[in-house]
């Protein structure tokens, strides 16, 4: 007979690994399934300044390595596999993934989120040929180039600031007349001589030949169109939760985030959700970790009554 886990955690980002530490230390037979490498999307940035306990900041790769080591130290097993479906099997859950199926008493969905696309023609064509969703990954390819970033939240401001290490000039395009991002990031953006902010504007067209050459912008107040010449375009307009494989099983809100209740329980008994994929988590590492710890404790409580 197949091994039956106490909990299968889907995703090894900050939420999944934090839950793994608590579940493992709670002596639960714990499996973490991760489709990529452990660490999650925080590995897309090179430095984190706001995670509590690190007054001088911390390199995300080093921090997430510590999370992973701590989870494994307490007995959580991490396996590389991509989950496609969760289905009921008698009084257990069967987690169906690309490489195998895993039977478990409880499940924690901690699959985070992924870059939102603008949905423009040519967005896919110029991906890797001028278009990117990750400044840390691709910024160094754009030394002394003219760049654009679209977005107005923390992430867009951070990406823009990071890119000024490399680029000649950067236009930060935002559809409103003020940013949503943190005040401290806004101050840094306004002080940076390489950055020009283009307010009230959206990108309507991406053009080029073999590589990206220009963007067409529309001012949403005047409807005027303009063209800017850029060799690089970084899209930072937000994230979509990785919840597709739970559709039809769990209750999702209008943004496809998993709706959670007390202890991060979902609409299905025995399935919990934590981190960016759920509806109460404001896309920060600390909140991902906090919600995951609450979920792990909720899971332990439930299994005690099992
Ligand atoms: C560029 C950037 C900079 C950021 N900077 C900061 C910052 O300075 N401070 C801060 O607090 N936060 C920051 N964040 C946000 C932070 O990274 C997230 O809030 C946090 O990583 C969320 O953790 P999570 O575990 O919920 O999800 P994720 O980190 O997204 O992890 C989810 C994991 O699940 C895996 N997964 C997804 N689907 C499946 C599946 N079907 N099967 C198996 N595995 C799956 C993914 O591969 C991923 O490893 C930043 C994010 C980005 C992108």
């Amino acid at each position: 007979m197949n091994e039956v886990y106490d909990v299968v955690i889907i995703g090894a980002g900050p939420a999944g690994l934090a839950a793994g530490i608590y579940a493992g230390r709670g002596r639960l037979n714990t499996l973490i399934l991760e489709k990529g490498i452990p660490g999650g999307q925080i590995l897309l940035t090179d430095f984190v300044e706001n995670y509590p306990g690190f007054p001088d900041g911390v390199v995300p790769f080093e921090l997430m390595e510590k999370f992973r080591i701590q989870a494994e130290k307490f007995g959580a097993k991490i396996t590389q596999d991509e989950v496609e479906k969760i289905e009921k099997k008698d009084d257990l859950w069967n987690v169906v993934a690309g490489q195998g199926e895993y039977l478990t008493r409880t499940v924690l969905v901690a699959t985070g989120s992924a870059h939102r696309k603008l949905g423009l023609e040519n967005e896919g064509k110029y991906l890797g040929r001028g278009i990117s969703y990750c400044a840390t990954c691709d910024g160094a390819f754009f030394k002394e180039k003219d760049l654009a970033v679209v977005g107005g939240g923390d992430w867009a401001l951070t990406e823009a600031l990071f890119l000024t290490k490399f680029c000649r000039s950067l236009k930060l395009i935002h559809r409103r007349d003020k940013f949503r991002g943190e005040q401290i990031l806004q101050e840094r953006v306004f002080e940076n001589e390489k950055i020009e902010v283009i307010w009230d504007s959206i990108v309507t067209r991406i053009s080029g030949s073999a590589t990206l050459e220009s963007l067409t912008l529309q001012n949403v107040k005047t409807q005027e169109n303009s063209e800017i010449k850029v060799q690089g375009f970084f899209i930072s307009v937000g994230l979509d939760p990785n919840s597709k494989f739970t559709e039809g099983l769990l209750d999702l809100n209008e943004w496809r985030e998993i709706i959670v209740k007390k202890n991060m329980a979902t609409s299905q008994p025995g399935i919990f959700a934590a981190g960016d994929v759920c509806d109460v988590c404001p896309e920060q590492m600390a909140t991902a970790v906090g919600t995951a710890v609450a979920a792990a404790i909720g899971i332990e409580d439930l299994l005690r009554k099992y």
Side-chain angles (χ1 to χ4, degrees):
M1 192 186 139
N2 283 346
E3 181 169 7
V4 175
Y5 293 95
D6 291 319
V7 57
V8 169
I9 298 169
I10 309 172
L17 291 173
I21 294 167
Y22 273 69
R25 195 165 175 275
R27 299 286 180 259
L28 304 185
N29 185 8
T30 304
L31 174 68
I32 304 178
L33 296 173
E34 167 56 54
K35 69 173 180 181
I37 57 160
Q41 56 175 299
I42 196 64
L43 300 185
L44 295 177
T45 192
D46 62 338
F47 202 62
V48 170
E49 285 185 334
N50 58 4
Y51 194 71
F54 296 91
D56 300 323
V58 60
V59 174
F61 182 77
E62 289 169 10
L63 180 64
M64 296 322 296
E65 263 301 279
K66 290 197 165 123
F67 272 50
R68 180 188 65 76
I69 290 165
Q70 199 174 353
E72 288 183 331
K73 178 182 141 187
F74 287 120
K77 190 171 131 194
I78 303 175
T79 296
Q80 195 173 44
D81 212 346
E82 180 164 0
V83 173
E84 293 162 359
K85 196 165 56 166
I86 307 169
E87 57 191 20
K88 191 92 189 133
K89 196 157 192 182
D90 304 322
D91 59 347
L92 299 173
W93 292 104
N94 187 33
V95 178
V96 181
Q99 312 291 323
E101 299 189 7
Y102 308 88
L103 281 177
T104 178
R105 295 183 177 87
T106 63
V107 179
L108 173 60
V109 182
T111 44
S113 47
H115 311 293
R116 186 172 300 151
K117 300 196 167 38
L118 288 177
L120 289 174
E121 200 187 336
N122 287 343
E123 192 171 343
K125 178 175 169 188
Y126 290 115
L127 184 61
R129 296 170 184 193
I131 290 188
S132 170
Y133 297 87
C134 175
T136 319
C137 319
D138 300 328
F141 298 124
F142 293 91
K143 286 201 180 89
E144 289 306 308
K145 304 283 187 211
D146 298 313
L147 305 182
V149 172
V150 65
D154 284 352
W155 184 22
L157 304 188
T158 307
E159 294 277 269
L161 288 164
F162 178 79
L163 286 166
T164 59
K165 289 186 195 173
F166 307 101
C167 69
R168 180 167 50 200
S169 72
L170 188 145
K171 293 192 168 45
L172 179 53
I173 305 156
H174 185 42
R175 63 191 165 140
R176 300 189 206 287
D177 57 6
K178 51 174 143 351
F179 292 126
R180 277 179 293 109
E182 278 182 316
Q183 194 57 36
I184 188 168
L185 294 175
Q186 295 196 31
E187 287 163 17
R188 288 177 191 168
V189 162
F190 296 137
E191 281 163 12
N192 193 307
E193 286 177 358
K194 285 190 181 174
I195 301 180
E196 177 194 344
V197 180
I198 304 184
W199 300 110
D200 298 314
S201 296
I202 55 170
V203 179
T204 53
R205 202 173 145 82
I206 297 166
S207 311
S209 47
T211 56
L212 172 74
E213 290 171 0
S214 67
L215 302 175
T216 306
L217 310 185
Q218 184 178 60
N219 184 301
V220 293
K221 288 188 174 153
T222 62
Q223 309 305 317
E224 256 174 56
N225 291 319
S226 59
E227 192 177 66
I228 55 168
K229 301 274 180 214
V230 289
Q231 296 88 53
F233 178 35
F234 287 77
I235 299 172
S236 311
V237 291
L239 298 158
D240 285 322
N242 293 321
S243 59
K244 188 147 186 55
F245 69 98
T246 69
E247 277 173 14
L249 176 72
L250 304 181
D251 287 349
L252 308 181
N253 67 13
E254 59 184 303
W255 299 285
R256 298 192 7 252
E257 294 163 337
I258 299 174
I259 298 172
V260 289
K261 304 178 273 197
K262 191 166 179 268
N263 290 340
M264 313 307 291
T266 69
S267 52
Q268 288 287 350
I271 303 186
F272 295 70
D276 283 8
V277 76
C278 72
D279 67 336
V280 297
C281 193
E283 288 164 1
Q284 288 291 295
M285 270 179 68
T287 49
V289 166
T291 53
V293 169
I297 292 170
I299 288 168
E300 279 186 67
D301 281 350
L302 181 76
L303 288 172
R304 243 179 253 125
K305 298 174 199 144
Y306 200 75

